Amino acid sequence: MTEFTGGPGFAAFVATFSLVLVTIVLMRSLNKQLRKVRTARTDGGAVMESSEASGTEDDNRDGRKVAGESRDS
């Protein structure tokens, strides 16, 4: 019986390394975009988000949806 002398080889290493590299680049890009979204203005002005403009979140800003409430206050 012959012994196994092969392995995944260089092509498998290159493919795995490429996937890891692409994942790192995409994660960095995502973090950059999220930082842009979260950044508030530094001049003291309030930043209005689209959910605040439509009145879909409560005033406590905890992210829960408000259904059927009027904004009389």
Side-chain angles (χ1 to χ4, degrees):
M1 183 186 276
T2 61
E3 291 185 29
F4 179 71
T5 58
F10 183 71
F13 169 75
V14 170
T16 303
F17 184 77
S18 299
L19 286 174
V20 169
L21 189 62
V22 166
T23 301
I24 290 170
V25 170
L26 287 175
M27 292 296 287
R28 289 185 62 162
S29 175
L30 177 64
N31 284 332
K32 181 180 174 183
Q33 295 299 320
L34 287 175
R35 265 188 249 115
K36 284 182 184 177
V37 170
R38 290 183 196 154
T39 303
R41 292 184 0 194
T42 58
D43 63 355
V47 177
M48 180 177 283
E49 297 173 359
S50 62
S51 59
E52 290 178 27
S54 63
T56 58
E57 290 185 3
D58 66 347
D59 293 332
N60 294 332
R61 295 180 181 240
D62 62 357
R64 291 182 289 180
K65 299 287 182 185
V66 177
E69 293 184 7
S70 64
R71 293 186 129 324
D72 294 334
S73 56

